[in-house]
Amino acid sequence: MAFPNLSSLAVRERAVTLFFLILALAGGAFAFLQLGRAEDPAFTVRVLMVSAVWPGASAEAVEAQITKRLEKRLQEVPNLYRLDATVRPGRTDIKVEFHDYVPERELPQLFYEVRKRMWDETRSMPAGAIGPIVNDDFSDVYFALLALTGPTKTHRELVEIGEEIRDRLQRLPGVHKAQLLGERPQTVYLEFDWPRLQRLGVSPLQVMQAIQAYNEMAPAGFVETDAARLYVRLPAADLAELDRLEALPLRIGSRVVPLGEVARVHLQEEDPPSYLVRSRGDDALLLGVVMQRGENGLALGKRLESFLADAQKRLPAGVHLEVLTNQAEAISAAVDRFQVKFFMAVAVVTVVTLLALGWRAGVVTAIAIPLTLSIVFLIMLARGISLDRVSLGALILALGLLVDDAIIVIEMMVVKLEEGWDRAHAATHAWHATAAPMLFGTLVTAAGFLPIGFAKSGVGEYAGNIFWVLAYALVVSWFVAVLFTPYLGFKLLPHYRKIEGGIDAIYGTPAYQRLRWLISACVRYRKSVVAVTLALLVAAGVGMAKAVPKQFFPSSDRPEVLIDIQMPAGTSIATTDALTRRIEAMLAPMPEVKSMMAHVGRGAPRFFISASPEPPDTAFAKIVAVTHDVAARERVIAAVQQAVDRGEFAEGRVRVHRLLYGPPVAWPIEFRVMGPDLNEVRRIAHEVRAVMAQHTNVVDPHLNYDERTPVLQLTFLPERLASYGLTPLEVKQQLQFALTGVPVTELRRGDRTVALIARGADAWLRDPAALATVEVRNAAGARIPLQSVAKIVVAYEDQVIKRYNRERYIAVQSEVEGAQPPDVTKALWQALEPLRATLPPGYHLEVGGTVEASGKADASIQKLQPIMVAVTLIFIMLQMREFAGTFMTVATAPLGLIGATVALLLTQRPFGFVALLGLIGLGGILMRNTLILTQQVRDFQEQGWSPAEAVIEAAVRRARPVVLTALAAALAFLPLATDTFWGPLAIVLIGGVVVGTAITLLFVPALYAIWYRLPKTVGV
């Protein structure tokens, strides 16, 4: 290499080299302690929620008057990926998702664009509608969730205690945000005896006007004096106290009657509630803690533990604060796992080199591992990369690769010492012989992971540090190999006895002679070798496509059990809660369950990066049971699933499942049926479900919504209304007053406002048959039966309408058993071909679920593969400087597929996104070995060897370091093979490196023989 000989410099300036070696180790130890710790990488969820409420409106009315308007404006926002709207009676929720390639720094501007358009739309909202409200906290991932319970305390008392704890949590170092979740708003109810009101001749409007007149906060002007402006204050009556509200005078004719005589005044939480939270069966409030980006999660976990111990001492008797989920535990387990696998990898590399080169050579090679990692830790600290699931996995993968250069250097040094060279020249020889091919080989290996580092997608952002950490480790390992390894070899290697006969004797042992014969046979039967290799490659490709199961991301090893409870659309929250309590009662006595929280009326907060919260729905509940470990989790899942299968919870659809890695995917199999008419969409969806039900691996195929629920529909009789002097609006207001209640005003209680609702007594709220007997009053005070001015009929309407990118849809979803979702989805899509061919105009099917998410991720990788190929070819050409050598090197890239397919089939591990990364990187690893081999061929030819002799002898002499590096890599990957996240990638690399390396040593000489038309008999 024309660059100054760094190996010679390191050996010559030994004191300086030792100084920097010690400095690197000390700096690495410091950096390791300072690095941030997190369960997952910092990840931007490019999603926000837009919600609007229109009390009393049907789902179709909300869709037409609100959802469509908002969607139209939202469609104007740039970089929009999709709109997913859920419309219910009186409410719409629109999930706004931006493209994954949008840089994080641009998101605030996009969120502002959404807010601005939604603010503009407030002026055109229907009368009585509230919103739209933009929630950009939807993407918060909670580091910890704490449950505050107190069976002896009222809900309001718990809220006050929780607010005090939240304020102190917010001041805790490392906490970005602390939130109080699950608070139910308080409401003051005036429950009137409707018949008594009618006897007294008081209308609901009079009651409301009287209360509003006392509670209104209105300006009274000011007096302008020479000295100052004096404001005149007429404070509203203090109606926050219930006794004052009961004493509020109502004028009824010539009499004044206190409000308490005609209504029962009481304060309670909203009734019926919209959201309930429990911890182990007790009503609870949640405290959610969001960690600052880049913070050390272990340190925050310790501070949080100390905080909780102190908070428990301050709590009143009967109040408890329990940890439900805590990422610090997962982070601690991941760091401990890394340390165990780190020492295992060091031991493996040491043993491999010890057996092959002697114990001192093994020690020299093993020292390269902590030295390289120390420098990598310093780079990670400077770049702001934390220790998390991805970076730790990348470091463990790097352990199998970063000693390759050190093994090559130390093996070459040992050979030269056995030839009789002095230590200084032997230590620096590798620089002349292999520094350049090692460097370009290292760059080629790193380039294999380039697509994931630059992928503009969610998984690219999530897993991108695989490339960066591996690239840092590989490049640093090259510098360690040419700088510190020669120095360590110079100082630590023993004195080797010179072998008589020199290099020929060293490579003339029986083992090398047998290898030489095998390689010569490959050269002789070159066409057969190449043909067999190509046949194996084709067979491996077919096996990977057909026989190896596919998946997107694997299941998580988190201990949580997730139980989703979906009741028929429109189910009351009380009914949903009753079923939820039965499941909680089943889980409570299980010793495997460490903590448990139930969320009724909506999903759980996002406590894991891929757990997307479900929108508000009184027919939905979610139970999160945290177990002690994975084995306990599986026992709980099996027990609950058996109860579900026995029909113990037949009232609703109960789904028991685990957390998944990767982007949020609600159901593994999903097809969206889209079209304008919901009845036709429903018909097609049922046909899709019937096709899915015939597949043996499909479990519980269903429509995500289907039911049309009954409603009492009033059809007014205009002539009779007019004859009685009534209007439809007056009737509606009186009905609302009698049934659910009418908002009167807002009372000011402390730092909150409390709604005051006037409504009829309970008897009128529960009996639908009583509706016909309700009497309404006209302006003259006459009582008119409702059935005299309106017809009451039972009608049916949709309780849910879902829209995807401004089109109505129904999703047909299912679980999968005994197969992987991509394989089942592909088979179902083919089975649906006849149905798809006969769909009416304007209707179509789309694939969702795992396949949609994986396709999006794979596409982001595939876009960068041409760049990866170009960069790889540039590195190879810069080193080889000829087309023949470049072709030989590139030809070995796909050979790893053979071993990868065999390994996946033997272990029955699926091929998914993580395994795809391993397969892409595998090509770079094999090309690196070939690059060094072909460079050796060139060196022999430049020394005057014939092409045939150069090819065979290069393969023989490079066999030991190539096999050693492959063996060290495969064994170092072995501890990772059992990991739930990294296991498939490790299996691919183990099989690909072992088989690919073996085939490369035999395939490259045969390919050389064909390319250069070498003679079939060669004497070496």
Side-chain angles (χ1 to χ4, degrees):
M1 218 176 159
F3 198 75
N5 190 326
L6 298 180
S7 300
S8 177
L9 181 65
V11 172
R12 185 171 63 251
E13 303 294 340
R14 293 189 286 277
V16 176
T17 304
L18 179 60
F19 168 77
F20 280 108
L21 188 151
I22 297 173
L23 185 64
L25 291 172
F30 169 79
F32 179 78
L33 296 176
Q34 295 299 314
L35 283 172
R37 265 76 165 176
E39 182 178 13
D40 289 285
F43 179 77
T44 304
V45 181
R46 295 165 173 80
V47 176
L48 54 78
M49 292 292 292
V50 175
S51 302
V53 178
W54 190 15
S58 67
E60 287 194 357
V62 174
E63 178 192 32
Q65 294 296 314
I66 297 180
T67 307
K68 288 184 177 180
R69 293 182 185 181
L70 299 183
E71 286 178 336
K72 185 177 180 181
R73 294 303 308 276
L74 289 168
Q75 202 76 43
E76 301 170 1
V77 181
N79 294 314
L80 184 68
Y81 170 56
R82 63 182 172 190
L83 300 173
D84 194 349
T86 301
V87 188
R88 303 181 189 278
R91 183 184 182 97
T92 183
D93 296 284
I94 306 174
K95 184 159 68 172
V96 184
E97 185 173 350
F98 296 97
H99 282 289
D100 289 341
Y101 55 71
V102 176
E104 182 184 358
R105 64 180 180 276
E106 295 182 12
L107 281 180
Q109 178 62 31
L110 291 176
F111 286 5
Y112 167 73
E113 294 287 341
V114 171
R115 288 194 189 91
K116 182 176 68 173
R117 284 167 172 79
M118 295 301 97
W119 177 257
D120 291 343
E121 282 300 305
T122 56
R123 290 171 292 186
S124 61
M125 294 282 281
I130 303 171
I133 302 165
V134 179
N135 176 18
D136 57 4
D137 290 334
F138 180 76
S139 59
D140 284 342
V141 180
Y142 291 98
F143 177 84
L145 286 175
L146 315 176
L148 183 66
T149 58
T152 61
K153 300 292 182 181
T154 66
H155 184 78
R156 181 59 196 166
E157 289 172 335
L158 272 184
V159 169
E160 293 174 353
I161 297 171
E163 285 180 329
E164 189 272 334
I165 298 174
R166 178 201 59 196
D167 293 342
R168 291 195 292 122
L169 267 174
Q170 185 66 67
R171 296 190 292 269
L172 201 65
V175 173
H176 170 64
K177 188 188 300 183
Q179 291 186 324
L180 188 65
L181 309 171
E183 178 183 357
R184 300 200 298 274
Q186 285 188 311
T187 303
V188 174
Y189 289 100
L190 305 178
E191 292 188 347
F192 291 88
D193 184 343
W194 183 248
R196 186 176 183 188
L197 273 181
Q198 292 174 329
R199 288 195 303 270
L200 291 172
V202 180
S203 69
L205 184 60
Q206 290 174 305
V207 174
M208 290 187 286
Q209 288 175 343
I211 297 174
Q212 289 170 352
Y214 276 90
N215 192 56
E216 185 72 22
M217 180 77 73
F222 55 85
V223 177
E224 194 77 30
T225 69
D226 294 337
R229 174 177 293 177
L230 300 177
Y231 285 92
V232 178
R233 300 298 187 198
L234 296 176
D238 184 7
L239 302 180
E241 299 300 328
L242 298 187
D243 55 350
R244 295 181 182 178
L245 186 59
E246 289 176 337
L248 184 72
L250 296 176
R251 179 172 296 278
I252 301 175
S254 59
R255 292 190 303 155
V256 175
V257 178
L259 179 62
E261 288 191 12
V262 296
R264 185 170 74 93
V265 182
H266 64 102
L267 174 71
Q268 68 179 62
E269 284 69 45
E270 63 174 347
D271 179 30
S274 59
Y275 179 42
L276 297 171
V277 181
R278 283 191 297 275
S279 173
R280 284 197 173 274
D282 293 327
D283 287 342
L285 290 172
L286 295 184
L287 289 156
V289 178
V290 180
M291 184 175 71
Q292 290 180 355
R293 178 168 290 198
E295 176 65 26
N296 187 326
L298 291 178
L300 177 58
K302 292 179 180 178
R303 288 194 292 271
L304 194 58
E305 184 179 354
S306 175
F307 174 89
L308 292 175
D310 178 67
Q312 289 283 7
K313 298 176 183 177
R314 302 189 184 190
L315 291 176
V319 179
H320 304 282
L321 191 60
E322 179 186 12
V323 177
L324 296 176
T325 66
N326 187 3
Q327 287 189 11
E329 297 174 359
I331 297 169
S332 176
V335 173
D336 292 344
R337 184 165 58 246
F338 167 74
Q339 293 173 344
V340 170
K341 292 178 179 179
F342 167 76
F343 289 114
M344 289 177 66
V346 171
V348 164
V349 172
T350 304
V351 170
V352 169
T353 50
L354 184 149
L355 295 176
L357 303 174
W359 74 270
R360 290 198 181 188
V363 170
V364 171
T365 307
I367 291 175
I369 296 177
L371 189 54
T372 302
L373 290 180
S374 294
I375 301 174
V376 172
F377 289 149
L378 286 168
I379 298 174
M380 290 173 62
L381 183 63
R383 283 289 315 276
I385 300 176
S386 299
L387 290 175
D388 51 51
R389 188 187 315 281
V390 170
S391 61
L392 284 172
L395 286 170
I396 295 173
L397 289 174
L399 294 177
L401 301 174
L402 55 81
V403 295
D404 289 4
D405 290 342
I407 288 177
I408 292 171
V409 168
I410 208 67
E411 191 271 345
M412 187 166 289
M413 185 175 178
V414 169
V415 170
K416 293 306 172 184
L417 288 174
E418 290 176 341
E419 285 187 56
W421 287 30
D422 65 84
R423 302 176 73 82
H425 283 88
T428 59
H429 174 70
W431 176 267
H432 299 289
T434 61
M438 282 195 313
L439 174 60
F440 284 106
T442 296
L443 295 176
V444 166
T445 303
F449 294 92
L450 182 145
I452 188 59
F454 290 92
K456 300 300 182 182
S457 65
V459 293
E461 183 179 3
Y462 178 81
N465 281 337
I466 295 175
F467 166 73
W468 294 108
V469 174
L470 277 174
Y472 297 148
L474 291 172
V475 173
V476 168
S477 72
W478 180 84
F479 280 101
V480 168
V482 299
L483 272 171
F484 296 110
T485 301
Y487 163 78
L488 292 170
F490 181 89
K491 298 292 290 184
L492 299 179
L493 286 181
H495 175 75
Y496 286 90
R497 180 178 59 84
K498 179 180 179 181
I499 297 178
E500 297 299 327
I503 194 71
D504 293 334
I506 294 173
Y507 292 106
T509 62
Y512 279 114
Q513 289 291 1
R514 287 191 291 271
L515 178 61
R516 189 174 285 107
W517 175 87
L518 179 60
I519 294 173
S520 298
C522 291
V523 171
R524 185 179 306 114
Y525 302 105
R526 62 200 70 175
K527 292 183 180 179
S528 299
V529 171
V530 172
V532 170
T533 302
L534 292 177
L536 290 173
L537 185 59
V538 171
V542 173
M544 182 65 77
K546 302 290 186 181
V548 176
K550 309 296 187 302
Q551 70 171 187
F552 182 29
F553 272 91
S555 296
S556 167
D557 58 359
R558 291 272 302 233
E560 289 87 356
V561 176
L562 308 181
I563 303 174
D564 296 348
I565 303 163
Q566 183 65 64
M567 305 291 284
T571 301
S572 68
I573 195 169
T575 304
T576 306
D577 187 45
L579 178 57
T580 306
R581 287 181 181 275
R582 285 167 50 199
I583 299 176
E584 288 179 276
M586 175 187 174
L587 293 170
M590 291 185 178
E592 293 89 352
V593 176
K594 183 168 63 173
S595 65
M596 176 174 59
M597 57 178 170
H599 305 263
V600 186
R602 68 177 62 181
R606 193 191 300 268
F607 62 91
F608 185 64
I609 195 168
S610 65
S612 184
E614 291 82 4
D617 180 6
T618 58
F620 180 82
K622 193 182 201 81
I623 298 174
V624 180
V626 183
T627 61
H628 294 281
D629 51 38
V630 174
R633 180 192 71 182
E634 295 306 309
R635 290 195 297 272
V636 172
I637 289 176
V640 177
Q641 189 61 54
Q642 288 173 6
V644 172
D645 294 340
R646 289 193 300 266
E648 295 183 16
F649 313 118
E651 302 96 309
R653 175 174 291 107
V654 178
R655 180 191 182 199
V656 190
H657 58 113
R658 309 163 185 82
L659 289 169
L660 296 175
Y661 292 122
V665 177
W667 290 85
I669 304 291
E670 179 179 285
F671 295 100
R672 288 188 295 270
V673 184
M674 310 184 71
D677 182 72
L678 208 52
N679 288 327
E680 181 65 15
V681 169
R682 185 178 281 109
R683 181 192 67 79
I684 299 170
H686 278 287
E687 292 188 24
V688 173
R689 181 193 174 281
V691 173
M692 293 174 62
Q694 295 174 6
H695 196 289
T696 56
N697 299 115
V698 169
V699 178
D700 186 27
H702 63 276
L703 280 60
N704 64 339
Y705 69 100
D706 185 22
E707 303 87 359
R708 290 172 60 84
T709 57
V711 294
L712 295 176
Q713 184 170 298
L714 272 66
T715 303
F716 288 111
L717 304 174
E719 297 82 2
R720 293 193 180 182
L721 274 176
S723 66
Y724 287 118
L726 289 169
T727 65
L729 178 60
E730 290 174 330
V731 175
K732 290 177 183 178
Q733 289 176 338
Q734 293 186 48
L735 279 177
Q736 184 182 6
F737 179 83
L739 300 177
T740 59
V742 177
V744 178
T745 186
E746 289 184 340
L747 307 179
R748 293 167 288 279
R749 294 177 62 89
D751 60 351
R752 283 171 169 75
T753 56
V754 178
L756 177 63
I757 304 294
R759 68 182 184 184
D762 285 347
W764 297 95
L765 300 174
R766 302 289 182 253
D767 186 6
L771 184 63
T773 65
V774 170
E775 294 179 332
V776 295
R777 296 180 67 91
N778 60 13
R783 296 195 294 267
I784 300 103
L786 181 63
Q787 58 191 357
S788 298
V789 295
K791 290 183 179 179
I792 305 173
V793 296
V794 177
Y796 291 85
E797 67 178 31
D798 290 297
Q799 282 288 312
V800 181
I801 300 175
K802 287 185 176 288
R803 298 170 58 85
Y804 187 88
N805 285 339
R806 302 180 64 184
E807 285 189 89
R808 287 178 166 186
Y809 81 96
I810 292 178
V812 189
Q813 306 163 326
S814 77
E815 285 281 12
V816 176
E817 188 175 69
Q820 292 297 330
D823 299 327
V824 177
T825 302
K826 182 179 179 181
L828 289 173
W829 190 248
Q830 293 173 351
L832 290 169
E833 172 59 31
L835 175 61
R836 290 187 285 126
T838 58
L839 290 177
Y843 296 84
H844 58 104
L845 263 64
E846 291 185 357
V847 178
T850 298
V851 169
E852 181 182 39
S854 62
K856 185 180 173 184
D858 293 346
S860 66
I861 299 295
Q862 292 165 4
K863 286 180 181 178
L864 290 166
Q865 284 183 340
I867 298 176
M868 178 202 74
V869 172
V871 170
T872 300
L873 290 174
I874 290 171
F875 288 147
I876 295 173
M877 181 56 79
L878 288 176
Q879 172 58 32
M880 301 307 303
R881 306 189 184 188
E882 64 175 15
F883 285 99
T886 301
F887 170 75
M888 301 292 172
T889 304
V890 174
T892 60
L895 298 182
L897 179 64
I898 301 172
T901 302
V902 172
L904 289 173
L905 287 173
L906 288 176
T907 58
Q908 284 299 296
R909 300 297 287 271
F911 182 82
F913 182 80
V914 178
L916 174 64
L917 299 181
L919 191 61
I920 294 172
L922 184 59
I925 295 172
L926 295 180
M927 285 190 289
R928 176 184 180 279
N929 290 335
T930 308
L931 193 65
I932 297 174
L933 177 60
T934 52
Q935 180 61 40
Q936 187 70 66
V937 174
R938 286 184 56 193
D939 291 344
F940 283 156
Q941 287 180 308
E942 290 174 359
Q943 295 173 17
W945 292 37
S946 68
E949 293 173 332
V951 168
I952 295 174
E953 201 60 25
V956 171
R957 297 191 182 185
R958 292 274 50 128
R960 182 166 69 169
V962 167
V963 170
L964 282 178
T965 56
L967 188 61
L971 293 176
F973 294 149
L974 202 57
L976 210 60
T978 57
D979 189 84
T980 55
F981 185 80
W982 295 103
L985 183 145
I987 293 295
V988 165
L989 289 177
I990 290 171
V993 167
V994 172
V995 177
T997 299
I999 293 177
T1000 298
L1001 287 174
L1002 306 177
F1003 172 74
V1004 171
L1007 193 61
Y1008 255 108
I1010 293 176
W1011 185 276
Y1012 288 106
R1013 299 180 180 178
L1014 302 182
K1016 291 190 175 182
T1017 56
V1018 183
V1020 182

